[in-house]
């Protein structure tokens, strides 16, 4: 993740997904937010969801992401990349302050497409998520 190349882009995308899981489970989206570009509306929506859950006293378990395949493409040498990942998001449970279950989700297979920028550090400038058939 320390270089602006294809391997760095792949590592950055996988790290972003680890930060996603951390944010969901810890309730702290700071690191996820720091890696999100200002134009990434999906990133901002995830950060807002985590903030809202915390404000409502919700806690979560699960959300583990297993990356099944990662394909990176260089768009502008040493600067911009796209990464497509096939991933499985594990089941999750959300509890309220009293420990009651307020939401559950099943394991879900997804295709994630990220636009990443290297400027001495990686940022996710765009993120799309769809179901993997």
């Amino acid at each position: 993740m320390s270089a602006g190349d294809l391997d760095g882009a792949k590592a950055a995308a996988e790290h972003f997904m680890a930060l996603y899981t951390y944010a969901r489970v810890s309730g702290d989206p700071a690191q996820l937010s720091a890696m999100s570009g200002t134009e990434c509306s999906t990133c901002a929506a995830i950060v807002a969801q985590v903030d809202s859950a915390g404000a409502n006293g919700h806690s979560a378990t699960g959300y583990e992401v297993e990356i099944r395949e990662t394909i990176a493409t260089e768009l502008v040498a040493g600067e911009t990349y796209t990464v497509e990942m096939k991933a499985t998001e594990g089941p999750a449970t959300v509890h309220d302050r009293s420990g009651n279950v307020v939401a559950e989700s099943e394991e879900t297979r997804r295709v994630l497409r990220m636009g990443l920028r290297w400027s001495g550090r990686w940022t996710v400038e765009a993120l799309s998520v769809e179901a993997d058939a």
Side-chain angles (χ1 to χ4, degrees), residues 79-104:
E79 186 179 327
T80 57
Y81 300 82
T82 60
V83 175
E84 180 177 293
M85 294 189 314
K86 292 187 177 183
T88 302
E89 181 179 330
T93 305
V94 179
H95 298 89
D96 65 13
R97 283 185 176 96
S98 300
N100 299 313
V101 174
V102 294
E104 291 182 293

Side-chain angles (χ1 to χ4, degrees), residues 23-24 26-29 47-59 97:
R24 289 284 193 186
S26 71
D28 178 7
V47 168
Q49 288 171 353
V50 172
D51 281 337
S52 176
N56 289 323
H58 294 171
S59 61
R97 283 185 176 96

Side-chain angles (χ1 to χ4, degrees), residues 1-45:
M1 207 172 109
S2 62
D5 59 15
L6 288 172
D7 288 337
K10 287 180 184 179
E14 291 175 7
H15 181 69
F16 186 82
M17 294 313 299
L19 292 177
Y20 164 83
T21 298
Y22 173 78
R24 289 284 193 186
V25 173
S26 71
D28 178 7
Q31 293 178 58
L32 186 70
S33 181
M35 194 172 174
S36 300
T38 57
E39 299 298 316
C40 183
S41 59
T42 303
C43 302

Side-chain angles (χ1 to χ4, degrees), residues 12 21 64 68 111:
T21 298
E64 290 87 9
R68 299 186 318 273
V111 176

